[in-house]
């Protein structure tokens, strides 16, 4: 006899009710059809009222007495609703990345409309003109002043808002209701959606696509018309006009009455970027980002659900927008690390988009000037269709790049932050009134603080990370915010030689004022952009020419066009190069290319200076040559040799516990479980470096980690599915937080 299956069913599919899950038995006849996402009819409550709900999970274990579990009545036929699709996406997140179903459902379900909509209430006259005039005469005679004033105005204007009636004509709301019930007026309500971009105007000026762009758009059209469903990788150098391609692709999808979702990394989701979409599609756009209020967010979702908006633009989570008839998902800057969620389920937007598109019959376009090694690998294998754009649109030239060896500068006695060559070029630009961008991959005044006598690094007492020196004389932890006063005396050897190392934006700013008296600098880092809109305002000020130099961290390298910037300086390319992370080469290459791409966006040719202590590292030399292909070749060889993604896959098990001994025990137990299951199943899963976490303590919680490696992703996912129920239920693991991460973006 086959084992009984049970289905978890949610009745009220809203964010708030997700934890109210009811278990039902799956009748034998429905075993094949009842899967997550399917809509079912069930007996509900005391009276067994027939109620519809959604299946969110299937299991074999009854949660309570099996005799008391009711049975699903039938499957509700009909088209696959958005909710069904999103539940299936949640099921995918759970299986692929490891998380509870509730956490996965919370991730995909839009927030409920708890916030009241603003309504616009309009009053219309229901009476014929003669009738109304007769009534007016009658009211005037009886000295019904307010009523007469109201009716006179309504006769003249045909309609008025409720505010006008109440505030200006001084007609009480009670009277309005009476007039309505007497059939003399009609009151209409319309919801006004909060739309922070509503003031932008649609423009009718589509650019004429160049040949490279047109070829791509034609290829898409041909395949789209033929009903093909593909993932495309649009690899186009910075400034090649990828956004224009996106706009043209969206237009085709809209023509077929389908919707499009465009993902942009949160940090690039600025007024400038959104404006280009508004100018093409006007109010058919809905924007979703994390700085929106709950009300704005739920309004945006409502407009999407109603079909009032058919182009959704947003950061990672916009992927779950409730579009009924999705035709296309675009992921701009697909290599960006922000597409990976850092809370459980730790999903990657790229893989999730491909899954969601599969359900909806939609295509996916991934765009980047520096594609992720993963995506390029898939394009090479033919899994994605590769589109290439090698020229800058409008034929602006790529900047020339020069590498400056800082070791050489040091030997020559240059103790400045700026190499002689960079200093000279800056001087020239300042004289010519052209602008400069300086990029530093660090924040704060200096890097870590250590003792020059014994080498002790001063660390946060709550986290296993070094503290950072700030100019006000304090040491801060960037993870938990711990702050303490800087002292020269070493806590270990008691020598007075503790000092700050490294380079930070504040220090560079100070050096700029010293070397170039009178220079105007805008410094952008986490500290100066904390205020809402600060980021935006600083970029606008720079764009308006209010400063000569824009100095900043990562946040300045993202897609802004400054035609007057002719020099970009990368002060210390090494800062991101020497992480222990297998992606650090890739990340450095991407940052350098992006930073370099900021130079020479206008008519004037741009120059880039990369300062580094590792002038021969391939991530730096290939970025200087603008050669993605050369970079990819080397990086692929390295990943292949080491067995890192995409050549093999990694599954991370992160164990967190306030008790160190329990964390250690847990790692050992899990390791043993894996080894035992290996012996029986012979999966060949390799356990790397057991127990070591790069950060071993964070906010007083101990962290242990297991890295599992296998060439076949399925093997790892199967192992995870086998472990998960044991880890969730077994009392040995109570009080320990266990998280999974599949193909991580950072090491733990
Ligand atoms: P990317 O997203 O690839 O970095 P953009 O789409 O931002 O590039 O385009 C870079 C610049 O080139 C923009 O100012 C854009 O208006 C312009 N541009 C793009 N396509 C064309 C075209 N076909 N003709 C003229 N200018 C174009
Ligand atoms: Zn010391
Ligand atoms: Zn800390």
């Amino acid at each position: 006899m086959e084992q009984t299956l049970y289905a978890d069913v949610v009745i009220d599919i809203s964010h708030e009710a997700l934890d109210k899950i009811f278990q039902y038995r799956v009748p034998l006849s429905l075993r094949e059809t009842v899967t997550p996402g399917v809509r079912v009819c069930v007996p509900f409550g005391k009276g067994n009222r027939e109620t519809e709900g959604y299946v969110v999970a299937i299991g074999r274990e009854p949660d309570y007495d099996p005799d008391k579990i009711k049975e699903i009545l039938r499957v509700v036929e009909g088209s696959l609703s958005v909710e069904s699709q999103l539940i299936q996406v949640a099921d995918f997140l759970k299986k692929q990345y490891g998380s509870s179903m509730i956490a996965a459902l919370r991730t995909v379900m839009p927030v409920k409309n708890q916030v009241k909509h603003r309504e616009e209430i309009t009053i219309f006259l229901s009476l014929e003109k003669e009738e109304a005039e007769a009534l007016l005469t009658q009211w005037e005679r009886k000295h019904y002043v307010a009523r007469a004033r109201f009716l006179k105005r309504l006769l003249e204007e045909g309609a008025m808002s409720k505010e006008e009636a109440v505030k200006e004509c001084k007609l009480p709301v009670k009277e309005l209701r009476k007039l309505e019930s007497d059939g003399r007026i009609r009151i209409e309500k319309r919801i006004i959606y909060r739309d922070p971009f509503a003031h932008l105007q649609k423009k009718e000026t589509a650019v004429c696509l160049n040949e490279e762009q047109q070829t791509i758009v034609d290829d898409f059209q041909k395949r789209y018309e033929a009903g093909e469903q593909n993932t495309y990788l649009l690899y186009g150098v910075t400034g090649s006009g990828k956004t224009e391609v996106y706009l043209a692709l969206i237009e085709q999808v809209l023509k077929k009455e389908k919707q499009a979702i465009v993902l942009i990394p949160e940090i690039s989701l600025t007024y400038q970027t959104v404006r280009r979409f508004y100018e093409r599609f006007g109010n058919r756009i809905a924007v979703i980002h994390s700085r929106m209020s709950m009300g704005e967010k739920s309004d945006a979702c409502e407009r999407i659900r109603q079909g009032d908006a058919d182009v959704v633009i947003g950061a990672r989570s916009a992927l779950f927008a409730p579009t009924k008839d999705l035709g296309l998902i675009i992921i701009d800057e697909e290599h960006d690390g922000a597409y990976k969620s850092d809370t459980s389920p730790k999903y990657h937007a790229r893989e999730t988009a491909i899954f969601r598109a599969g359900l909806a019959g939609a295509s996916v376009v991934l765009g980047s000037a520096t594609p992720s090694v993963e995506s390029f690998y898939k394009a090479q294998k033919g899994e994605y269709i590769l589109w290439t754009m090698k020229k800058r649109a409008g034929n602006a030239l790529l900047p020339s790049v020069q590498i400056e060896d800082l070791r050489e500068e040091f030997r020559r006695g240059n103790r400045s932050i700026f190499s002689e060559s960079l200093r000279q070029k800056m001087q020239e630009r300042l004289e010519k009134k052209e602008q400069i961008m300086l990029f530093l991959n660090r924040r704060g005044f200096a890097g870590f603080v250590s003792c020059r006598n014994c080498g002790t690094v001063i660390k946060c007492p709550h986290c296993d990370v070094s503290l950072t020196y700030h100019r006000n004389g304090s040491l801060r932890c960037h993870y938990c915010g711990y702050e303490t006063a800087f002292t020269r005396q070493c806590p270990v050897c008691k020598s007075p030689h503790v000092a700050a190392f490294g380079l930070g934006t504040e220090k560079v700013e100070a050096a700029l004022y010293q070397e170039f008296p009178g220079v105007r600098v805008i410094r952008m880092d986490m500290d100066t952009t904390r205020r809402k809109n600060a980021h935006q305002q600083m970029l606008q000020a720079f764009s308006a020419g209010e400063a000569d130099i824009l100095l900043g961290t990562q946040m300045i390298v993202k897609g802004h066009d400054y035609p007057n910037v002719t020099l970009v300086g990368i002060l210390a390319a090494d800062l991101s190069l020497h992480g222990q992370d297998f992606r650090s080469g890739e990340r450095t290459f991407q940052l350098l290319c992006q930073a370099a791409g900021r130079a020479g966006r206008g008519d004037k040719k741009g120059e880039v200076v990369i300062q580094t202590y590792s002038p021969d590292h391939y991530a730096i030399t290939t970025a200087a040559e603008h050669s993605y292909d050369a970079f990819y070749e080397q990086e692929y060889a390295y990943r292949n040799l080491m067995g890192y993604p995409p050549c093999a896959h990694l599954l991370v098990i992160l164990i967190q516990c306030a008790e160190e001994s329990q964390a250690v025990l847990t790692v050992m137990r899990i390791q043993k479980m894996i080894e035992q299951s290996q012996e029986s199943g012979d999966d060949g899963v390799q356990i790397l470096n057991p127990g070591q976490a790069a950060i071993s303590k964070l906010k007083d919680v101990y962290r242990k980690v297991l890295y599992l490696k296998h060439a076949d992703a399925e093997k790892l996912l199967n192992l995870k599915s086998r472990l998960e129920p044991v880890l969730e239920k077994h009392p040995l693991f109570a009080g320990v937080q266990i998280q999974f991460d599949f193909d991580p973006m950072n090491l733990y």
Side-chain angles (χ1 to χ4, degrees):
M1 205 195 108
E2 286 194 75
Q3 202 187 352
T4 315
L5 292 184
Y6 298 93
D8 287 341
V9 175
V10 202
I11 305 291
D12 174 11
I13 191 78
S14 73
H15 207 259
E16 292 67 23
L18 283 175
D19 43 4
K20 294 205 196 81
I21 288 180
F22 302 91
Q23 204 177 35
Y24 285 89
R25 192 171 23 255
V26 182
L28 270 180
S29 59
L30 294 180
R31 279 179 86 94
E32 303 297 319
T33 31
V34 172
T35 52
V38 165
R39 198 155 171 192
V40 290
C41 191
V42 294
F44 188 68
K46 284 226 176 69
N48 283 337
R49 196 160 33 87
E50 285 199 8
T51 308
E52 287 183 6
Y54 286 94
V55 174
V56 296
I58 303 285
R60 293 174 187 281
E61 304 280 327
D63 286 347
Y64 51 100
D65 181 0
D67 293 339
K68 296 211 172 109
I69 297 181
K70 301 175 198 173
E71 200 166 73
I72 291 176
L73 298 173
R74 60 183 172 274
V75 167
V76 180
E77 304 291 339
S79 67
L80 200 60
S81 67
V82 191
E83 285 76 16
S84 294
Q85 286 191 19
L86 291 176
I87 291 169
Q88 288 183 60
V89 172
D91 186 52
F92 166 81
L93 295 183
K94 172 183 154 54
K95 293 193 174 126
Q96 183 78 15
Y97 303 102
S99 86
S100 67
M101 190 60 187
I102 299 272
L105 284 168
R106 287 228 168 86
T107 306
V108 304
M109 285 299 157
V111 284
K112 200 182 183 177
N113 227 329
Q114 317 148 297
V115 196
K116 264 210 131 132
H117 286 295
R118 265 179 44 223
E119 285 178 334
E120 188 178 70
I121 301 178
T122 315
I123 298 162
F124 299 91
L125 186 62
S126 295
L127 299 173
E128 292 299 323
K129 193 158 178 269
E130 290 78 40
E131 262 182 297
E133 277 167 352
L135 189 63
L136 177 61
T137 320
Q138 195 186 337
W139 283 352
E140 280 173 339
R141 211 179 306 130
K142 290 185 178 168
H143 299 288
Y144 290 166
V145 183
R147 278 198 226 175
R149 188 166 41 216
F150 165 75
L151 187 55
K152 188 153 181 274
R153 188 147 161 191
L154 200 54
L155 259 168
E156 282 161 9
E157 295 174 6
M160 76 169 82
S161 72
K162 186 181 161 197
E163 280 76 50
E164 285 175 278
V166 176
K167 297 223 174 78
E168 293 172 25
C169 304
K170 307 260 189 286
L171 192 72
V173 177
K174 210 171 66 193
E175 297 249 355
L176 272 177
R177 280 204 211 103
K178 176 89 173 48
L179 289 173
E180 187 189 22
S181 62
D182 290 347
R184 286 168 166 161
I185 59 169
R186 187 160 49 85
I187 300 179
E188 272 186 17
K189 288 185 192 167
R190 199 170 60 87
I191 294 170
I192 310 173
Y193 293 113
R194 279 155 290 221
D195 179 358
F197 289 92
H199 58 283
L200 286 170
Q201 287 294 310
K202 189 172 164 167
K203 268 203 250 170
E204 296 295 342
T205 49
V207 303
C208 187
L209 295 181
N210 66 30
E211 208 181 305
E212 278 188 328
Q213 291 169 322
Q214 193 62 52
T215 311
I216 289 167
V217 174
D218 289 346
D219 185 46
F220 178 80
Q221 183 163 19
K222 192 184 77 204
R223 294 170 185 276
Y224 193 68
E225 303 268 324
E228 282 185 33
Q229 187 189 331
N230 294 309
T231 301
Y232 302 89
L233 175 60
L234 173 53
Y235 157 40
V237 299
T238 42
S240 58
K242 292 186 287 297
T243 310
E244 289 303 327
V245 172
Y246 301 152
L247 294 169
L249 299 183
I250 295 169
E251 241 159 35
Q252 298 203 5
V253 170
L254 293 188
K255 266 189 220 146
K256 297 266 189 258
E257 320 236 303
K258 301 256 184 180
Q259 296 126 7
I261 296 176
V262 184
L263 302 187
I264 295 177
E266 183 87 40
I267 197 168
S268 315
L269 197 59
T270 58
Y271 187 80
Q272 258 188 342
T273 12
V274 174
R275 193 177 64 194
R276 290 177 70 182
F277 288 86
Y278 256 92
E279 286 174 353
R280 186 70 61 89
F281 302 111
N283 58 13
R284 298 173 75 172
I285 297 229
V287 182
I288 298 180
H289 61 74
S290 66
R291 285 155 300 180
M292 277 170 128
S293 69
M294 286 292 263
E296 286 171 342
K297 230 179 245 176
S298 82
D299 278 4
C301 283
E302 203 46 38
R303 285 177 59 225
I304 296 161
R305 191 186 295 280
Q306 300 296 334
D308 289 343
D310 37 24
V311 182
V312 183
I313 301 180
R316 191 176 64 219
S317 65
L319 186 53
F320 309 116
T323 50
K324 282 208 184 78
D325 224 345
L326 190 60
L328 178 65
I329 303 176
I330 292 172
I331 304 188
D332 189 30
E333 311 223 29
E334 65 88 29
H335 61 270
D336 199 294
Y339 284 124
K340 174 106 179 175
S341 168
D342 46 18
T343 54
S344 185
K346 299 189 174 181
Y347 68 93
H348 199 296
R350 194 195 303 132
E351 295 154 342
T352 311
I354 293 170
F355 180 82
R356 183 167 185 201
L359 293 179
S363 282
V364 176
V365 172
L366 310 171
S368 177
T370 51
S372 62
V373 173
E374 266 109 333
S375 294
F376 205 74
Y377 175 76
K378 290 198 168 151
Q380 297 277 301
K381 285 204 309 185
E383 220 172 292
Y384 301 165
I385 293 168
L386 183 63
W387 288 329
T388 313
M389 299 205 294
K390 293 225 185 272
K391 286 201 300 271
R392 279 190 160 183
N395 287 322
L397 291 170
L398 283 169
S400 62
V401 184
Q402 184 182 326
I403 298 175
E404 283 298 315
D405 185 347
L406 289 175
R407 297 170 308 184
E408 197 60 32
E409 292 290 315
F410 190 81
R411 276 178 226 135
R412 273 195 242 124
N414 180 3
R415 295 289 180 274
S416 150
I417 292 167
F418 311 107
S419 60
E420 187 45 36
S421 162
L422 178 59
R423 210 193 53 76
Q424 264 176 26
K425 289 182 197 296
M426 287 169 66
Q427 189 67 48
E428 269 169 43
R429 298 298 141 65
L430 292 174
E431 280 160 18
K432 283 200 273 183
K433 304 257 175 285
E434 291 174 359
Q435 287 175 299
I436 303 165
M437 283 169 92
L438 293 180
F439 171 64
L440 186 68
N441 187 22
R442 263 288 175 85
R443 70 170 169 138
F445 176 64
F448 62 99
V449 177
S450 67
C451 170
R452 299 198 175 175
N453 189 43
C454 74
T456 298
V457 173
I458 312 294
K459 289 189 169 183
C460 172
H462 308 288
C463 311
D464 177 39
V465 296
S466 55
L467 293 172
T468 305
Y469 183 77
H470 281 250
R471 205 157 38 160
N472 64 5
S474 70
L475 296 179
R476 256 185 249 163
C477 171
H478 283 168
Y479 285 87
C480 73
Y482 171 83
E483 194 165 339
T484 185
F486 171 72
T487 49
R488 294 223 163 261
Q489 197 183 41
C490 172
V492 176
C493 75
K494 310 292 175 204
S495 84
H497 298 302
V498 172
F501 277 89
L503 188 56
T505 43
E506 288 179 47
K507 194 164 165 185
V508 177
E509 187 184 18
L512 283 171
Y513 291 130
Q514 206 169 37
E515 298 223 17
F516 308 99
V519 72
R520 298 169 304 162
V521 180
I522 294 179
R523 171 169 68 90
M524 256 174 92
D525 54 29
M526 297 275 266
D527 293 321
T528 62
T529 54
R530 236 182 275 280
R531 255 180 322 112
K532 196 179 171 186
N533 296 331
H535 187 238
Q536 198 64 36
Q537 283 160 7
M538 294 174 121
L539 293 177
Q540 260 157 20
F542 185 62
S543 175
E546 288 168 29
D548 311 301
I549 299 178
L550 178 62
L551 161 68
T553 52
Q554 265 88 320
M555 57 179 77
I556 71 168
V557 304
K558 299 280 180 179
H560 306 280
D561 253 350
Y562 303 109
N564 200 34
V565 170
T566 58
L567 177 65
V568 169
I570 293 143
L571 296 173
D574 311 66
L575 288 182
S576 57
L577 198 55
H578 301 305
Q580 321 143 292
D581 187 338
F582 72 91
R583 293 183 202 271
S584 50
E586 177 177 8
R587 210 167 292 130
T588 302
F589 176 81
Q590 287 161 353
L591 276 171
L592 295 180
C593 288
Q594 272 184 348
R598 301 301 104 206
R601 295 279 244 175
D603 313 327
K604 301 167 207 151
K605 184 162 165 59
E607 268 190 293
V608 179
V609 176
I610 300 177
Q611 304 194 139
T612 176
Y613 290 97
S614 334
D616 303 321
H617 193 286
Y618 67 90
I620 291 175
T621 55
T622 55
E625 291 157 9
H626 308 287
S627 177
Y628 178 82
D629 296 337
F631 166 76
Y632 177 80
E633 204 177 300
Q634 298 242 22
E635 185 67 20
Y636 174 78
Y638 157 67
R639 304 263 181 112
N640 198 26
L641 181 73
M642 302 299 291
Y644 286 136
C647 306
H649 298 275
L650 287 177
L651 178 69
V652 180
I653 307 177
L654 175 66
I655 293 130
Q656 298 184 89
C657 185
E659 292 292 330
E660 190 172 17
S661 57
Q662 204 183 348
V664 173
L665 264 177
T666 307
V667 177
M668 282 161 44
R669 282 187 183 124
I670 296 178
Q671 200 180 339
K672 189 146 220 176
M673 280 166 64
I674 296 168
E675 280 161 4
Q676 280 167 355
S677 86
Q678 294 287 306
E679 280 158 22
S680 53
D682 193 33
D683 278 344
V685 171
Q686 197 185 339
I687 304 178
L688 307 176
N689 203 18
Q692 294 293 341
I695 298 174
S696 66
K697 187 167 87 164
L698 205 58
K699 300 183 189 174
D700 286 326
V701 172
Y702 291 89
R703 295 153 53 91
K704 301 284 163 197
V705 71
L706 282 170
Y707 286 96
L708 309 180
K709 189 158 100 171
H710 201 286
D712 182 0
E714 281 307 312
K715 287 271 195 296
L716 293 170
L717 295 179
N718 288 341
L719 177 63
K720 176 179 69 57
S721 316
R722 269 180 283 145
L723 285 177
E724 241 176 349
V726 186
L727 300 182
E728 254 169 46
K729 297 229 168 84
H730 204 292
L732 273 179
F733 301 109
V736 187
Q737 203 201 358
I738 300 170
Q739 277 186 12
F740 292 94
D741 191 356
F742 183 71
D743 283 353
M745 294 305 280
N746 300 296
L747 291 191
Y748 283 81

